[in-house]
Amino acid sequence: MKYDRLHSTHLRLPYILLISLFLILSTSGAGVDAASEPEYRAIITYRIQDGDSLWRLSHSYATTMNQLRADNPHLSHLEPGQVIYITTRVANGTYPYRVSAGESLYIIAQRAGLSIAAIQRANDLPTPQIWAGQTLRVPLADDGEFVEWVRPGDTLHGIAARHNLTPLHLREVNPLLGDEIRVNQILRISQAAGGRSPGGEDENDLLQYRVRPGDTLGDIVTRYKTTAAAVWGTNHLRSNLLMPGQLLYIPVGGTAARSVDGPRGSQLPGYGELLTWELARWYYPPGTDATVIDLYTGQRFSVR
């Protein structure tokens, strides 16, 4: 038996199997509640407005003044026009924002650089009416935009080239401190300016995506405007652990799991499908318990 290959059973194939895997599915294992998306820490940038203070920003963006100071050690005081970093909690492509007294949806949209309609949709608001103390979910990107999470080794010029843009475009869309970017920072990219989303996919596409080093589930669902629950359900995931090279089917722009037949391997007459471990991870993703049976000897052993 070669260690880099896996002979897998497949329900569509009535062939004699060399090796078959039977999943041991546990109802007490890890899972995702579609109503409760996991949160991920990310960094957004913000341009200081008149009247801003560390207290107001910490109150509005669900952070602390100490965290703001740690994110921005270069600041001695706040002045209108300054750009600061804010570490926040991202879930389902949005971050929380607590409404202060006197704020309107128009003011909040202006601060975030978004349309009022985008914020209304994210919160299922039938009208622009909001109230002090209300917590809104603010989208990371506006209509016609997608986001890129900065990963280790990324540069502003590299990200711009990746999306067929110039660094100037990224500076126009995002408040930036020169060319400085940080790991887990969110960058907005406009398709109207010629931006090309990863893979060039359209919304409602079912994208085949290979996990890259440094990818997280939060990174992927935000980049493709989907949800963790949709990715979990589509790919039968058992854990948030992702492995480089692992195949994922991404329901771009969708919030519901999609039905997928899965990857097909090579096949010889009288045998099942021959799958590389990378393709086999779709059927048996990390965290899955299985029993491997050698049909020649009857020996079996458990694997995870």
Side-chain angles (χ1 to χ4, degrees):
M1 174 180 175
K2 294 183 178 180
Y3 292 100
D4 62 342
R5 299 283 182 169
L6 173 70
H7 289 276
S8 168
T9 60
H10 200 289
L11 296 179
R12 300 189 301 265
L13 301 175
Y15 298 103
I16 299 173
L17 305 177
L18 175 61
I19 295 178
S20 61
L21 296 181
F22 300 94
L23 297 181
I24 304 173
L25 301 178
S26 170
T27 58
S28 62
V32 167
D33 181 358
S36 178
E37 288 293 325
E39 290 187 325
Y40 304 90
R41 288 172 63 85
I43 298 172
I44 61 173
T45 51
Y46 173 77
R47 195 175 298 278
I48 298 297
Q49 309 290 316
D50 286 330
D52 279 339
S53 66
L54 286 181
W55 182 87
R56 194 204 74 78
L57 293 172
S58 65
H59 177 269
S60 297
Y61 288 92
T63 184
T64 66
M65 289 191 289
N66 285 339
Q67 181 65 58
L68 287 171
R69 294 188 185 100
D71 286 338
N72 303 277
H74 58 285
L75 288 182
S76 58
H77 60 281
L78 300 183
E79 293 182 359
Q82 288 177 322
V83 174
I84 66 169
Y85 296 100
I86 300 177
T87 298
T88 186
R89 304 190 308 273
V90 171
N92 197 16
T94 65
Y95 60 86
Y97 184 91
R98 189 174 183 182
V99 180
S100 297
E103 284 190 316
S104 65
L105 200 60
Y106 171 80
I107 292 175
I108 294 172
Q110 288 291 105
R111 288 180 179 277
L114 299 169
S115 65
I116 294 176
I119 299 178
Q120 282 188 251
R121 281 197 305 273
N123 295 274
D124 294 325
L125 296 176
T127 70
Q129 186 67 36
I130 57 175
W131 59 88
Q134 180 181 6
T135 298
L136 299 174
R137 301 300 307 188
V138 178
L140 294 173
D142 208 347
D143 297 331
E145 295 179 339
F146 56 92
V147 297
E148 176 82 358
W149 287 52
V150 177
R151 286 165 289 180
D154 276 342
T155 64
L156 191 69
H157 286 72
I159 292 174
R162 185 186 306 161
H163 297 286
N164 195 32
L165 294 168
T166 65
L168 176 61
H169 164 75
L170 296 181
R171 296 190 195 99
E172 290 173 345
V173 177
N174 302 274
L176 294 175
L177 287 170
D179 285 352
E180 179 185 346
I181 55 176
R182 297 184 182 181
V183 173
N184 287 336
Q185 182 177 342
I186 301 294
L187 293 178
R188 294 165 54 176
I189 299 175
S190 171
Q191 292 173 318
R196 187 175 54 218
S197 59
E201 66 285 341
D202 296 321
E203 289 203 358
N204 300 317
D205 277 354
L206 191 64
L207 173 72
Q208 293 187 38
Y209 180 82
R210 291 297 189 107
V211 175
R212 292 178 288 180
D215 276 342
T216 66
L217 190 59
D219 180 351
I220 293 171
V221 301
T222 300
R223 188 184 312 160
Y224 295 105
K225 297 183 179 180
T226 183
T227 66
V231 175
W232 268 65
T234 301
N235 297 278
H236 314 294
L237 296 182
R238 304 283 293 169
S239 166
N240 283 339
L241 176 65
L242 301 178
M243 305 293 290
Q246 181 178 349
L247 174 67
L248 293 177
Y249 290 88
I250 309 297
V252 177
T255 59
R258 302 274 292 274
S259 177
V260 180
D261 288 337
R264 300 298 298 267
S266 60
Q267 185 181 332
L268 296 174
Y271 292 91
E273 287 183 64
L274 183 64
L275 298 172
T276 64
W277 280 112
E278 285 76 16
L279 293 181
R281 285 199 193 107
W282 189 85
Y283 294 100
Y284 313 106
T288 300
D289 294 323
T291 299
V292 176
I293 305 173
D294 186 330
L295 297 185
Y296 283 123
T297 64
Q299 292 182 340
R300 62 179 64 201
F301 56 93
S302 299
V303 296
R304 168 170 288 186

